[in-house]
Amino acid sequence: MIEEVMRAARRPEPFQPSEAPFWDDPYIAGQLLGFHLDDRTEAASRPSSVIARDVGVLLERGLAGPGRRVLDLGCGPGLYAHRLAAAGCAVTGLDLSAGSIEFARARAADAGLTVDYRVQDFRTLDAHATYDLVLQSFGEVSTFSDTVRDDLLRRIRRALAPGGALLFDVTRPSAHRPPAPRRVELLDGGLWRPGPHLVVTDTYVYPDDITCDQYVVADDSVVVYRMWFHDYTPATLAPVLTEAGLMVQEVWGSLGGGPPATDDDWFAVLARADGA
């Protein structure tokens, strides 16, 4: 098995996929749900205080509010969607994790809120002139290859109602430099598996600000998980949006607004349909 682990830990081709489900693996998704709901970590979501601030800015700016139709891509357990629905928005939330959607639905029901939560890969979005705001938080746009990214942005463009806006955040190149050294861990339960397992973690760097965090997980079998990141600057992201028929209206320091800082690992973009 050691030889198998070492073969699996080799440098992958750019955007080579994982060998097994991640977000929709029942065990891993359950662990991630715990991270989403834990304010002490930003492993899956931002703290509730930051989310409250972000939603407050959306309301102040008129991007969200009573009657506004909002699509939350990768909504997880509904941390943004729940607050937006409570503010009177008509919210649709899409996520791959059935467990997160189940939690979000139960929470909405307990609060007497109506939210259209769907178990769906948001890369399959197929809507036309439907939403006043499309929101994507926590940098998932940065995790896609150029081909997948471009297709998703075109789908979002079609989904926007006249005058609608896209708001999302991405990572800068500084977020993944320098790469961490190889890490080998023998664990008795954790994110990847409930019982004893070995994890070999490597970070591989590619041209054009692309990075891969690769996890080789071994117990009774050897499985490779890969987290890809394509980092951007406002200058490199603008033409990507233009190609998809979207135009950058503003660049923010975060989803909560404010000026961007070049020494920060994140920035957010508010974009609208070209010509809107």
Side-chain angles (χ1 to χ4, degrees):
M1 181 172 280
I2 292 176
E3 292 182 357
E4 188 178 353
V5 168
M6 295 308 295
R7 285 195 298 269
R10 292 173 180 167
R11 179 183 177 91
E13 293 298 315
F15 289 97
Q16 185 176 342
S18 298
E19 295 179 354
F22 177 70
W23 299 106
D24 45 348
D25 174 272
Y27 174 77
I28 296 174
Q31 299 298 299
L32 290 172
L33 177 58
F35 292 147
H36 277 300
L37 303 176
D38 187 349
D39 261 3
R40 298 168 298 177
T41 177
E42 293 191 33
S45 292
R46 295 192 171 89
S48 56
S49 60
V50 173
I51 295 172
R53 177 208 66 187
D54 294 349
V55 171
V57 169
L58 298 181
L59 296 171
E60 291 169 7
R61 293 292 301 267
L63 293 164
R68 301 287 286 179
R69 298 164 297 173
V70 179
L71 175 63
D72 186 356
L73 300 178
C75 65
L79 303 182
Y80 280 90
H82 189 91
R83 291 179 182 274
L84 290 164
C89 299
V91 183
T92 300
L94 308 183
D95 201 274
L96 268 176
S97 172
S100 285
I101 291 296
E102 181 181 359
F103 177 92
R105 287 172 176 164
R107 185 178 181 223
D110 288 345
L113 296 174
T114 300
V115 184
D116 182 9
Y117 285 118
R118 306 175 191 173
V119 179
Q120 181 180 336
D121 184 339
F122 66 70
R123 293 171 293 185
T124 67
L125 175 66
D126 186 18
H128 298 268
T130 305
Y131 300 104
D132 302 304
L133 174 66
V134 175
L135 175 67
Q136 204 296 298
S137 62
F138 217 60
E140 282 192 72
V141 172
S142 288
T143 66
F144 301 135
S145 69
D146 291 0
T147 300
V148 173
R149 174 205 65 198
D150 293 346
D151 180 67
L152 172 63
L153 290 173
R154 287 191 292 267
R155 290 172 181 270
I156 291 172
R157 167 66 180 84
R158 291 195 296 269
L160 288 174
L166 164 65
L167 179 63
F168 66 105
D169 56 1
V170 292
T171 46
R172 294 180 184 268
S174 59
H176 298 103
R177 292 179 182 168
R182 169 171 285 177
R183 188 168 73 250
V184 180
E185 301 170 283
L186 184 60
L187 304 173
D188 187 14
L191 169 64
W192 302 104
R193 299 291 186 269
H197 61 285
L198 176 74
V199 183
V200 178
T201 306
D202 287 293
T203 299
Y204 294 104
V205 177
Y206 301 78
D208 301 320
D209 297 319
I210 294 170
T211 305
C212 177
D213 288 341
Q214 178 170 269
Y215 306 88
V216 178
V217 181
D219 49 5
D220 295 332
S221 61
V222 177
V223 181
V224 182
Y225 300 90
R226 299 183 179 98
M227 307 299 159
W228 290 97
F229 304 94
H230 186 171
D231 300 316
Y232 299 94
T233 66
T236 59
L237 189 56
V240 171
L241 291 165
T242 298
E243 184 66 25
L246 294 159
M247 181 175 58
V248 175
Q249 184 175 26
E250 296 180 42
V251 177
W252 298 352
S254 71
L255 295 178
T262 56
D263 58 349
D264 197 351
D265 290 341
W266 291 81
F267 67 96
V269 171
L270 177 66
R272 296 188 186 271
D274 191 10

